[in-house]
Amino acid sequence: MAKVWITSAKYIEDYRIALVFNEGVEKEVDLSSYLYRRPFEKLRDIEVFKNFTLDSWTLTWDDGNIDIAPESLYEMADCSIGIVAEDDSPGYGKIK
């Protein structure tokens, strides 16, 4: 697999996030299965989960202390979805 990173992300609902990767591929990922592993337990609080940010390549939470490799997100994500809208609402991130 070529090197991938996330260029934008938007919270959908529950523990699902829409992702756009550097190749232009758009996928949706459900991270509910991660919530019972360390260090992801904090993310069971949905407000904490929604408060993700994007660093230069992937999703992060808790000021960068929690992240998931973009390759892992790419592999676990569903097939292509629609366009991810850009806005300033919570749970939206875009690399600038």
Side-chain angles (χ1 to χ4, degrees):
M1 173 192 300
K3 185 172 181 177
V4 297
W5 61 89
I6 299 169
T7 58
S8 68
K10 181 173 171 112
Y11 174 75
I12 300 172
E13 67 181 346
D14 299 324
Y15 298 100
R16 294 188 353 237
I17 299 174
L19 304 170
V20 179
F21 293 87
N22 60 300
E23 317 169 307
V25 174
E26 301 170 8
K27 295 187 172 199
E28 181 180 309
V29 66
D30 181 348
L31 296 175
S32 57
S33 65
Y34 265 70
L35 304 182
Y36 296 93
R37 302 181 196 179
R38 295 186 103 171
F40 303 102
E41 298 98 341
K42 283 183 173 182
L43 304 182
R44 286 186 222 163
D45 178 336
I46 196 71
E47 294 307 315
V48 173
F49 181 83
K50 288 192 225 180
N51 195 26
F52 62 83
T53 58
L54 283 174
D55 63 10
S56 60
W57 66 294
T58 196
L59 298 177
T60 68
W61 292 266
D62 192 31
D63 295 325
N65 293 315
I66 300 172
D67 68 16
I68 302 172
E71 298 86 358
S72 295
L73 293 168
Y74 191 94
E75 291 297 322
M76 74 172 72
D78 293 336
C79 295
S80 183
I81 59 170
I83 299 298
V84 176
E86 294 185 31
D87 61 33
D88 294 324
S89 64
Y92 176 79
K94 182 159 180 77
I95 301 286
K96 294 181 181 180

Coordinates of all heavy atoms in Angstrom, one line a residue:
M1 N 0.8 -1.2 0.0 CA 0.0 0.0 0.0 C 0.9 1.2 0.0 O 1.9 1.3 0.7 CB -0.9 0.0 1.3 CG -1.7 1.3 1.4 SD -2.5 1.6 3.0 CE -3.6 0.2 3.1
A2 N 0.5 2.2 -0.8 CA 1.2 3.5 -0.8 C 1.0 4.2 0.5 O 0.0 4.0 1.2 CB 0.8 4.3 -2.0
K3 N 1.8 5.1 0.8 CA 1.7 5.9 2.0 C 0.4 6.7 2.0 O 0.1 7.4 1.0 CB 2.8 6.8 2.2 CG 2.8 7.6 3.6 CD 4.1 8.3 3.8 CE 4.0 9.0 5.1 NZ 5.2 9.7 5.5
V4 N -0.5 6.6 3.0 CA -1.7 7.3 3.1 C -1.8 8.2 4.3 O -1.1 7.9 5.3 CB -3.0 6.4 3.1 CG1 -3.0 5.6 1.8 CG2 -3.0 5.5 4.3
W5 N -2.5 9.3 4.2 CA -2.8 10.2 5.3 C -4.2 10.8 5.1 O -4.7 10.7 4.0 CB -1.7 11.2 5.5 CG -1.5 12.2 4.4 CD1 -2.2 13.4 4.2 CD2 -0.6 12.0 3.3 NE1 -1.7 14.0 3.1 CE2 -0.7 13.2 2.5 CE3 0.3 11.1 2.9 CZ2 0.0 13.4 1.3 CZ3 1.1 11.2 1.8 CH2 0.9 12.4 1.0
I6 N -4.7 11.3 6.2 CA -6.1 11.9 6.1 C -6.0 13.4 5.9 O -5.2 14.1 6.5 CB -6.8 11.6 7.5 CG1 -6.9 10.1 7.7 CG2 -8.1 12.3 7.5 CD1 -7.3 9.7 9.1
T7 N -6.8 13.8 4.9 CA -6.8 15.2 4.5 C -8.0 16.0 5.2 O -7.9 17.2 5.3 CB -6.8 15.5 3.0 OG1 -7.9 14.8 2.5 CG2 -5.5 14.9 2.4
S8 N -9.1 15.3 5.4 CA -10.2 15.9 6.1 C -11.0 14.8 6.8 O -10.9 13.6 6.4 CB -11.0 16.7 5.2 OG -11.7 15.9 4.3
A9 N -11.7 15.2 7.8 CA -12.6 14.2 8.6 C -13.8 15.0 9.1 O -13.7 16.1 9.5 CB -11.8 13.6 9.7
K10 N -14.9 14.3 9.2 CA -16.1 14.8 9.7 C -16.9 13.8 10.6 O -17.1 12.7 10.1 CB -17.0 15.3 8.6 CG -18.3 16.0 9.1 CD -19.1 16.6 8.0 CE -20.4 17.0 8.5 NZ -20.9 18.1 8.7
Y11 N -17.3 14.2 11.8 CA -18.1 13.4 12.6 C -19.4 13.1 12.0 O -20.0 14.0 11.4 CB -18.2 14.0 14.0 CG -19.2 13.3 14.9 CD1 -18.7 12.1 15.5 CD2 -20.5 13.7 15.1 CE1 -19.6 11.4 16.3 CE2 -21.3 13.0 15.9 CZ -20.9 11.8 16.5 OH -21.7 11.1 17.3
I12 N -19.9 11.9 12.0 CA -21.2 11.5 11.4 C -22.2 11.3 12.5 O -23.1 12.1 12.7 CB -21.1 10.2 10.6 CG1 -20.1 10.4 9.4 CG2 -22.4 9.9 10.0 CD1 -19.8 9.2 8.6
E13 N -22.0 10.2 13.3 CA -22.9 9.9 14.4 C -22.3 8.8 15.2 O -21.4 8.1 14.7 CB -24.3 9.6 14.0 CG -24.5 8.3 13.2 CD -25.9 8.1 12.8 OE1 -26.8 8.7 13.3 OE2 -26.1 7.2 12.0
D14 N -22.8 8.6 16.4 CA -22.2 7.5 17.3 C -20.7 7.6 17.2 O -20.2 8.6 17.6 CB -22.8 6.1 16.8 CG -24.3 6.0 16.9 OD1 -24.9 6.6 17.9 OD2 -24.9 5.4 16.1
Y15 N -20.1 6.5 16.8 CA -18.6 6.5 16.8 C -18.1 6.3 15.4 O -17.1 5.7 15.1 CB -18.1 5.4 17.7 CG -18.5 5.6 19.1 CD1 -19.5 4.9 19.7 CD2 -17.8 6.6 19.9 CE1 -19.9 5.2 21.0 CE2 -18.2 6.8 21.2 CZ -19.3 6.2 21.7 OH -19.6 6.4 23.0
R16 N -18.8 7.0 14.4 CA -18.5 6.9 13.0 C -18.0 8.3 12.6 O -18.5 9.3 12.9 CB -19.7 6.5 12.2 CG -20.1 5.1 12.5 CD -21.2 4.5 11.6 NE -21.8 5.4 10.7 CZ -23.1 5.6 10.7 NH1 -23.9 5.0 11.5 NH2 -23.6 6.4 9.8
I17 N -17.0 8.2 11.7 CA -16.3 9.4 11.2 C -16.1 9.2 9.7 O -15.7 8.2 9.2 CB -15.0 9.7 11.8 CG1 -15.1 9.9 13.3 CG2 -14.3 10.9 11.2 CD1 -13.8 10.1 14.1
A18 N -16.4 10.3 8.9 CA -16.2 10.2 7.4 C -14.8 10.8 7.2 O -14.4 11.8 7.8 CB -17.2 11.1 6.7
L19 N -14.0 10.1 6.4 CA -12.6 10.4 6.2 C -12.3 10.6 4.7 O -12.9 9.9 3.9 CB -11.7 9.3 6.7 CG -11.8 8.9 8.1 CD1 -11.0 7.6 8.4 CD2 -11.4 10.0 9.1
V20 N -11.4 11.6 4.4 CA -10.9 11.7 3.0 C -9.4 11.5 3.1 O -8.8 12.2 4.0 CB -11.3 13.1 2.4 CG1 -10.7 13.2 1.0 CG2 -12.8 13.3 2.4
F21 N -8.9 10.7 2.3 CA -7.5 10.4 2.3 C -6.8 11.1 1.2 O -7.4 11.6 0.3 CB -7.2 8.9 2.1 CG -7.7 8.1 3.3 CD1 -9.0 7.7 3.4 CD2 -6.9 7.8 4.4 CE1 -9.5 7.0 4.5 CE2 -7.3 7.1 5.5 CZ -8.6 6.7 5.6
N22 N -5.4 11.2 1.3 CA -4.6 12.0 0.3 C -4.8 11.6 -1.1 O -4.7 12.4 -2.0 CB -3.2 11.9 0.7 CG -2.6 10.5 0.7 OD1 -3.1 9.7 1.4 ND2 -1.6 10.3 -0.1
E23 N -5.3 10.3 -1.4 CA -5.5 9.9 -2.7 C -6.9 10.3 -3.2 O -7.2 10.0 -4.4 CB -5.5 8.3 -2.8 CG -4.4 7.7 -2.0 CD -4.7 6.2 -1.8 OE1 -5.7 5.8 -1.4 OE2 -3.7 5.5 -2.2
G24 N -7.6 11.0 -2.4 CA -9.0 11.4 -2.8 C -10.0 10.4 -2.4 O -11.2 10.6 -2.7
V25 N -9.7 9.3 -1.9 CA -10.6 8.2 -1.5 C -11.3 8.7 -0.2 O -10.7 9.2 0.7 CB -9.9 6.9 -1.2 CG1 -10.8 5.9 -0.7 CG2 -9.2 6.4 -2.5
E26 N -12.7 8.5 -0.3 CA -13.5 8.9 0.9 C -14.1 7.6 1.5 O -14.6 6.8 0.8 CB -14.7 9.8 0.4 CG -14.1 11.1 -0.3 CD -15.2 11.9 -1.0 OE1 -16.4 11.6 -0.8 OE2 -14.8 12.9 -1.6
K27 N -13.9 7.5 2.8 CA -14.4 6.3 3.5 C -15.0 6.7 4.8 O -14.8 7.8 5.3 CB -13.2 5.4 3.8 CG -12.6 4.8 2.5 CD -11.6 3.7 2.9 CE -11.1 3.0 1.6 NZ -10.5 1.7 2.0
E28 N -15.8 5.8 5.3 CA -16.4 6.0 6.6 C -15.9 4.9 7.6 O -15.8 3.7 7.2 CB -17.9 5.8 6.5 CG -18.7 6.0 7.8 CD -20.2 5.9 7.6 OE1 -20.7 6.6 6.7 OE2 -20.8 5.1 8.3
V29 N -15.5 5.3 8.8 CA -15.0 4.3 9.7 C -15.8 4.3 11.0 O -16.3 5.4 11.5 CB -13.5 4.6 10.0 CG1 -13.3 5.9 10.7 CG2 -12.9 3.5 10.8
D30 N -16.1 3.2 11.6 CA -16.8 3.0 12.8 C -15.8 2.6 13.9 O -15.2 1.5 13.8 CB -17.9 2.0 12.7 CG -18.7 1.8 14.0 OD1 -18.3 2.3 15.1 OD2 -19.8 1.1 14.0
L31 N -15.5 3.4 14.8 CA -14.4 3.1 15.8 C -14.9 2.6 17.1 O -14.2 2.5 18.1 CB -13.6 4.4 16.1 CG -12.9 4.9 14.8 CD1 -12.2 6.3 15.1 CD2 -11.8 3.9 14.4
S32 N -16.2 2.1 17.1 CA -16.8 1.6 18.4 C -16.0 0.4 18.9 O -15.9 0.3 20.2 CB -18.2 1.3 18.2 OG -18.4 0.4 17.2
S33 N -15.4 -0.4 18.1 CA -14.6 -1.5 18.6 C -13.3 -1.1 19.3 O -12.8 -1.9 20.0 CB -14.3 -2.5 17.4 OG -13.4 -1.9 16.5
Y34 N -12.8 0.1 19.0 CA -11.6 0.6 19.7 C -11.8 1.0 21.1 O -10.9 1.2 21.9 CB -11.0 1.7 18.9 CG -10.0 1.3 17.9 CD1 -10.3 0.6 16.8 CD2 -8.6 1.7 18.1 CE1 -9.3 0.2 15.9 CE2 -7.7 1.3 17.2 CZ -8.0 0.6 16.1 OH -7.0 0.2 15.2
L35 N -13.0 1.3 21.5 CA -13.3 2.0 22.8 C -13.1 1.1 24.0 O -13.1 1.7 25.1 CB -14.8 2.5 22.8 CG -15.1 3.4 21.6 CD1 -16.6 3.9 21.7 CD2 -14.2 4.6 21.5
Y36 N -12.8 -0.1 23.8 CA -12.5 -1.0 25.0 C -11.1 -1.4 25.1 O -10.7 -2.3 25.8 CB -13.5 -2.2 24.9 CG -14.9 -1.7 25.1 CD1 -15.7 -1.5 24.0 CD2 -15.4 -1.5 26.3 CE1 -17.0 -1.0 24.1 CE2 -16.7 -1.0 26.5 CZ -17.5 -0.8 25.3 OH -18.7 -0.3 25.5
R37 N -10.2 -0.7 24.3 CA -8.8 -1.0 24.3 C -8.1 0.2 24.9 O -8.6 1.3 24.8 CB -8.2 -1.1 22.9 CG -8.9 -2.2 22.1 CD -8.2 -2.2 20.7 NE -9.0 -3.0 19.8 CZ -8.6 -3.2 18.6 NH1 -7.5 -2.6 18.1 NH2 -9.4 -3.9 17.8
R38 N -6.9 0.0 25.5 CA -6.2 1.1 26.0 C -5.5 1.7 24.8 O -5.0 1.0 24.0 CB -5.1 0.6 27.0 CG -5.8 0.1 28.3 CD -4.8 -0.3 29.3 NE -4.8 0.8 30.3 CZ -4.2 0.8 31.4 NH1 -3.4 -0.2 31.7 NH2 -4.3 1.8 32.2
P39 N -5.3 3.0 24.7 CA -5.7 4.1 25.6 C -7.0 4.7 25.2 O -7.3 5.8 25.6 CB -4.6 5.1 25.5 CG -4.3 5.0 24.0 CD -4.5 3.5 23.7
F40 N -7.9 4.0 24.5 CA -9.1 4.6 23.8 C -10.3 4.6 24.7 O -11.3 5.2 24.3 CB -9.4 3.8 22.6 CG -8.3 3.8 21.6 CD1 -7.5 2.6 21.5 CD2 -8.0 4.9 20.8 CE1 -6.4 2.6 20.6 CE2 -6.9 4.9 19.9 CZ -6.1 3.7 19.8
E41 N -10.2 4.2 26.0 CA -11.3 4.1 26.9 C -12.0 5.5 27.1 O -13.2 5.7 27.2 CB -11.0 3.6 28.3 CG -10.5 2.2 28.3 CD -9.0 2.1 28.3 OE1 -8.3 3.1 27.9 OE2 -8.5 1.0 28.6
K42 N -11.1 6.6 27.1 CA -11.6 7.9 27.2 C -12.6 8.3 26.2 O -13.5 9.1 26.4 CB -10.5 8.9 27.1 CG -9.6 9.1 28.3 CD -8.6 10.2 28.0 CE -7.8 10.5 29.2 NZ -6.8 11.6 29.0
L43 N -12.5 7.7 25.0 CA -13.3 8.1 23.9 C -14.8 7.5 24.0 O -15.6 7.8 23.1 CB -12.7 7.6 22.6 CG -11.3 8.1 22.3 CD1 -10.7 7.6 21.0 CD2 -11.2 9.6 22.4
R44 N -15.0 6.7 25.0 CA -16.4 6.2 25.2 C -17.3 7.4 25.5 O -18.5 7.3 25.1 CB -16.5 5.2 26.3 CG -15.9 3.9 26.0 CD -16.1 2.9 27.1 NE -14.9 2.1 27.2 CZ -14.6 1.4 28.3 NH1 -15.4 1.3 29.3 NH2 -13.5 0.7 28.3
D45 N -16.8 8.4 26.1 CA -17.6 9.7 26.3 C -17.8 10.3 24.9 O -16.8 10.7 24.3 CB -16.9 10.6 27.2 CG -17.6 11.9 27.4 OD1 -18.4 12.3 26.6 OD2 -17.3 12.5 28.5
I46 N -19.0 10.3 24.3 CA -19.2 10.7 23.0 C -18.7 12.2 22.7 O -18.3 12.5 21.6 CB -20.7 10.5 22.5 CG1 -20.8 10.6 21.0 CG2 -21.6 11.5 23.2 CD1 -20.3 9.4 20.3
E47 N -18.8 13.0 23.7 CA -18.3 14.4 23.6 C -16.8 14.5 23.4 O -16.3 15.3 22.6 CB -18.8 15.3 24.7 CG -20.3 15.5 24.8 CD -20.9 16.0 23.5 OE1 -20.4 16.9 22.8 OE2 -22.0 15.4 23.0
V48 N -16.1 13.6 24.1 CA -14.7 13.5 24.0 C -14.4 12.9 22.6 O -13.5 13.4 21.9 CB -14.1 12.6 25.1 CG1 -12.6 12.4 24.8 CG2 -14.3 13.2 26.4
F49 N -15.1 11.9 22.2 CA -14.9 11.3 20.8 C -15.1 12.3 19.7 O -14.3 12.4 18.8 CB -15.9 10.1 20.6 CG -15.7 9.5 19.3 CD1 -14.7 8.5 19.1 CD2 -16.5 9.8 18.2 CE1 -14.5 7.9 17.9 CE2 -16.3 9.2 17.0 CZ -15.4 8.2 16.8
K50 N -16.1 13.1 19.8 CA -16.4 14.1 18.8 C -15.3 15.2 18.7 O -15.2 15.9 17.7 CB -17.7 14.8 19.0 CG -18.9 14.0 18.8 CD -20.1 14.9 18.8 CE -21.3 14.4 19.6 NZ -22.4 15.4 19.6
N51 N -14.5 15.3 19.7 CA -13.6 16.4 19.8 C -12.2 16.0 19.3 O -11.2 16.3 19.8 CB -13.5 16.9 21.3 CG -12.8 18.2 21.4 OD1 -12.8 19.0 20.4 ND2 -12.2 18.5 22.5
F52 N -12.2 15.4 18.1 CA -10.9 15.0 17.5 C -10.4 16.2 16.7 O -11.1 17.1 16.4 CB -11.1 13.8 16.6 CG -12.0 14.0 15.4 CD1 -11.6 14.6 14.2 CD2 -13.3 13.6 15.5 CE1 -12.4 14.8 13.2 CE2 -14.2 13.8 14.4 CZ -13.7 14.4 13.2
T53 N -9.1 16.0 16.4 CA -8.4 17.0 15.5 C -7.6 16.2 14.5 O -7.4 15.0 14.7 CB -7.5 18.0 16.3 OG1 -6.5 17.2 17.0 CG2 -8.3 18.8 17.3
L54 N -7.1 16.9 13.5 CA -6.2 16.3 12.6 C -4.8 16.9 12.8 O -4.6 18.1 12.9 CB -6.6 16.6 11.1 CG -7.8 15.8 10.6 CD1 -8.2 16.3 9.2 CD2 -7.4 14.3 10.5
D55 N -3.8 16.0 13.0 CA -2.4 16.6 12.9 C -2.0 16.6 11.5 O -2.9 16.6 10.6 CB -1.5 15.8 13.9 CG -1.4 14.3 13.5 OD1 -1.8 13.9 12.4 OD2 -0.8 13.5 14.3
S56 N -0.8 16.4 11.1 CA -0.4 16.5 9.7 C -0.7 15.2 8.9 O -0.5 15.2 7.7 CB 1.1 16.8 9.6 OG 1.8 15.7 10.3
W57 N -1.3 14.1 9.6 CA -1.5 12.9 8.9 C -2.7 12.0 9.4 O -3.1 11.2 8.6 CB -0.3 12.1 8.8 CG 0.2 11.6 10.1 CD1 0.7 12.4 11.2 CD2 0.3 10.3 10.6 NE1 1.0 11.6 12.2 CE2 0.8 10.3 11.9 CE3 -0.1 9.0 10.0 CZ2 0.9 9.1 12.6 CZ3 0.1 7.9 10.7 CH2 0.6 7.9 12.0
T58 N -3.2 12.2 10.6 CA -4.2 11.3 11.1 C -5.1 12.0 12.2 O -4.8 13.2 12.6 CB -3.6 10.0 11.7 OG1 -4.7 9.1 11.8 CG2 -2.9 10.2 13.0
L59 N -6.1 11.3 12.6 CA -7.0 11.8 13.7 C -6.2 11.7 15.1 O -5.6 10.7 15.3 CB -8.2 10.9 13.8 CG -9.2 10.9 12.6 CD1 -10.3 9.9 12.9 CD2 -9.7 12.2 12.3
T60 N -6.5 12.7 15.9 CA -5.9 12.6 17.3 C -7.0 13.1 18.2 O -7.9 13.9 17.9 CB -4.6 13.5 17.4 OG1 -5.0 14.9 17.3 CG2 -3.6 13.1 16.4
W61 N -6.8 12.7 19.5 CA -7.7 13.1 20.6 C -6.8 13.4 21.8 O -5.6 13.0 21.8 CB -8.6 12.0 21.0 CG -9.7 11.6 20.0 CD1 -11.0 12.1 20.0 CD2 -9.6 10.7 18.9 NE1 -11.7 11.6 18.9 CE2 -10.9 10.7 18.3 CE3 -8.6 9.9 18.5 CZ2 -11.1 9.9 17.2 CZ3 -8.9 9.0 17.4 CH2 -10.1 9.0 16.8
D62 N -7.3 14.1 22.7 CA -6.6 14.3 24.0 C -5.3 15.0 23.7 O -4.2 14.5 24.2 CB -6.4 13.0 24.8 CG -6.0 13.2 26.2 OD1 -6.3 14.2 26.8 OD2 -5.2 12.3 26.7
D63 N -5.3 16.1 23.0 CA -4.1 16.9 22.7 C -3.0 16.1 22.1 O -1.8 16.3 22.4 CB -3.6 17.6 24.0 CG -4.6 18.6 24.5 OD1 -5.2 19.3 23.7 OD2 -4.7 18.8 25.7
G64 N -3.4 15.1 21.2 CA -2.4 14.3 20.5 C -1.9 13.1 21.3 O -1.1 12.3 20.7
N65 N -2.4 12.9 22.5 CA -2.0 11.7 23.2 C -2.6 10.4 22.7 O -2.2 9.3 23.1 CB -2.3 11.9 24.7 CG -1.5 13.0 25.3 OD1 -0.3 13.1 25.1 ND2 -2.1 13.9 26.1
I66 N -3.7 10.5 22.0 CA -4.4 9.3 21.4 C -4.5 9.5 19.9 O -5.0 10.6 19.5 CB -5.8 9.2 22.0 CG1 -5.8 9.0 23.6 CG2 -6.5 8.0 21.4 CD1 -7.1 9.0 24.2
D67 N -4.1 8.5 19.2 CA -4.3 8.6 17.7 C -4.3 7.2 17.2 O -4.1 6.2 17.9 CB -3.1 9.4 17.0 CG -1.8 8.7 17.1 OD1 -1.7 7.5 17.4 OD2 -0.8 9.4 16.9
I68 N -4.7 7.1 15.9 CA -4.8 5.8 15.2 C -4.1 6.0 13.9 O -4.4 7.0 13.2 CB -6.2 5.3 15.0 CG1 -7.0 5.2 16.3 CG2 -6.3 4.0 14.2 CD1 -8.5 5.0 16.2
A69 N -3.2 5.1 13.5 CA -2.5 5.3 12.3 C -3.4 5.4 11.1 O -4.4 4.6 11.0 CB -1.5 4.1 12.1
P70 N -3.1 6.2 10.1 CA -4.0 6.4 9.0 C -4.2 5.1 8.2 O -5.2 4.8 7.6 CB -3.4 7.5 8.2 CG -2.0 7.6 8.6 CD -2.0 7.1 10.0
E71 N -3.1 4.3 8.1 CA -3.2 3.0 7.4 C -4.2 2.1 8.0 O -4.9 1.4 7.3 CB -1.8 2.4 7.4 CG -0.7 3.1 6.6 CD 0.0 4.2 7.5 OE1 -0.4 4.3 8.7 OE2 0.9 4.8 7.0
S72 N -4.2 2.1 9.3 CA -5.2 1.3 10.1 C -6.6 1.8 9.8 O -7.5 1.0 9.5 CB -5.0 1.3 11.6 OG -3.7 0.7 11.9
L73 N -6.8 3.1 9.8 CA -8.1 3.7 9.5 C -8.6 3.3 8.1 O -9.7 3.0 7.8 CB -8.1 5.2 9.7 CG -8.0 5.6 11.2 CD1 -7.7 7.1 11.3 CD2 -9.2 5.3 12.0
Y74 N -7.6 3.4 7.2 CA -7.9 3.1 5.7 C -8.4 1.7 5.6 O -9.3 1.4 4.9 CB -6.7 3.4 4.9 CG -6.9 3.4 3.4 CD1 -7.1 4.5 2.7 CD2 -6.8 2.2 2.7 CE1 -7.3 4.5 1.4 CE2 -7.0 2.1 1.3 CZ -7.2 3.3 0.7 OH -7.4 3.3 -0.7
E75 N -7.7 0.8 6.2 CA -8.0 -0.7 6.1 C -9.3 -1.0 6.8 O -10.0 -1.9 6.3 CB -6.9 -1.5 6.7 CG -5.6 -1.5 5.9 CD -5.7 -2.1 4.5 OE1 -6.5 -3.1 4.4 OE2 -5.1 -1.5 3.6
M76 N -9.6 -0.4 7.9 CA -10.9 -0.7 8.6 C -12.1 0.0 8.1 O -13.2 -0.4 8.4 CB -10.7 -0.5 10.1 CG -10.7 0.9 10.6 SD -10.8 1.1 12.3 CE -9.2 0.6 12.8
A77 N -11.9 1.0 7.3 CA -13.0 1.8 6.8 C -13.9 1.1 5.8 O -13.4 0.3 5.0 CB -12.5 3.2 6.3
D78 N -15.1 1.5 5.7 CA -16.0 1.0 4.7 C -15.6 1.6 3.3 O -14.8 2.4 3.2 CB -17.5 1.4 5.0 CG -18.0 0.8 6.2 OD1 -17.5 -0.3 6.6 OD2 -18.9 1.3 6.9
C79 N -16.4 1.2 2.3 CA -16.1 1.6 0.9 C -16.4 3.1 0.8 O -16.9 3.8 1.7 CB -17.0 0.9 0.0 SG -16.5 -0.9 -0.1
S80 N -16.2 3.6 -0.3 CA -16.4 5.1 -0.6 C -17.7 5.6 -0.2 O -18.7 4.9 -0.3 CB -16.2 5.3 -2.1 OG -16.3 6.6 -2.5
I81 N -17.7 6.8 0.3 CA -18.9 7.5 0.7 C -19.1 8.8 -0.2 O -18.3 9.0 -1.1 CB -19.0 7.9 2.2 CG1 -17.8 8.7 2.5 CG2 -19.0 6.6 3.0 CD1 -17.8 9.3 3.9
G82 N -19.9 9.7 0.2 CA -20.1 11.0 -0.5 C -19.0 12.0 -0.2 O -18.1 11.8 0.6
I83 N -19.2 13.2 -0.7 CA -18.3 14.3 -0.4 C -18.5 14.7 1.0 O -19.5 14.8 1.6 CB -18.7 15.5 -1.3 CG1 -18.6 15.1 -2.8 CG2 -17.9 16.7 -1.0 CD1 -17.2 14.7 -3.2
V84 N -17.3 15.1 1.7 CA -17.3 15.6 3.0 C -17.4 17.1 3.0 O -16.5 17.7 2.4 CB -16.0 15.1 3.8 CG1 -16.0 15.8 5.1 CG2 -16.0 13.6 3.8
A85 N -18.5 17.7 3.5 CA -18.7 19.1 3.5 C -17.7 19.8 4.4 O -17.4 19.3 5.5 CB -20.1 19.4 3.9
E86 N -17.3 21.0 4.1 CA -16.4 21.8 4.9 C -17.2 22.8 5.7 O -18.0 23.5 5.2 CB -15.4 22.5 4.1 CG -14.4 21.7 3.3 CD -13.4 22.4 2.6 OE1 -13.0 23.5 3.1 OE2 -13.0 22.0 1.5
D87 N -17.0 22.7 7.0 CA -17.6 23.7 7.9 C -16.8 23.8 9.2 O -15.8 23.1 9.3 CB -19.1 23.4 8.1 CG -19.3 22.1 8.8 OD1 -18.5 21.7 9.7 OD2 -20.4 21.5 8.6
D88 N -17.3 24.6 10.1 CA -16.5 24.8 11.4 C -17.2 24.2 12.5 O -16.9 24.5 13.7 CB -16.4 26.3 11.6 CG -15.5 27.0 10.6 OD1 -14.5 26.3 10.2 OD2 -15.8 28.1 10.2
S89 N -18.1 23.2 12.3 CA -18.8 22.6 13.4 C -17.9 21.6 14.1 O -16.9 21.2 13.6 CB -20.0 21.8 12.8 OG -19.6 20.8 12.0
P90 N -18.2 21.3 15.4 CA -17.4 20.4 16.2 C -17.4 19.1 15.4 O -18.3 18.7 14.8 CB -18.2 20.2 17.5 CG -19.0 21.4 17.6 CD -19.4 21.8 16.2
G91 N -16.3 18.4 15.6 CA -16.1 17.1 14.9 C -15.8 17.2 13.5 O -16.0 16.3 12.7
Y92 N -15.3 18.3 13.0 CA -14.8 18.5 11.7 C -13.4 18.9 11.7 O -13.0 19.8 12.4 CB -15.6 19.5 10.9 CG -15.1 19.7 9.5 CD1 -15.5 18.9 8.5 CD2 -14.3 20.8 9.2 CE1 -15.0 19.0 7.3 CE2 -13.8 20.9 8.0 CZ -14.1 20.0 7.0 OH -13.6 20.2 5.7
G93 N -12.6 18.3 10.9 CA -11.2 18.6 10.8 C -10.7 18.7 9.3 O -11.2 17.9 8.5
K94 N -9.8 19.6 9.0 CA -9.3 19.6 7.7 C -7.8 20.1 7.8 O -7.6 21.1 8.5 CB -10.1 20.6 6.8 CG -9.6 20.6 5.3 CD -10.6 21.1 4.4 CE -10.1 21.2 3.0 NZ -10.1 19.9 2.3
I95 N -6.9 19.5 7.1 CA -5.6 19.9 7.1 C -5.5 21.2 6.3 O -6.1 21.4 5.3 CB -4.7 18.9 6.3 CG1 -4.7 17.5 7.0 CG2 -3.3 19.4 6.2 CD1 -4.0 17.4 8.3
K96 N -4.8 22.2 6.9 CA -4.7 23.5 6.3 C -3.4 23.6 5.6 O -2.4 23.1 6.0 CB -4.9 24.6 7.3 CG -6.3 24.6 7.8 CD -6.5 25.7 8.8 CE -7.9 25.6 9.3 NZ -8.3 26.6 10.3

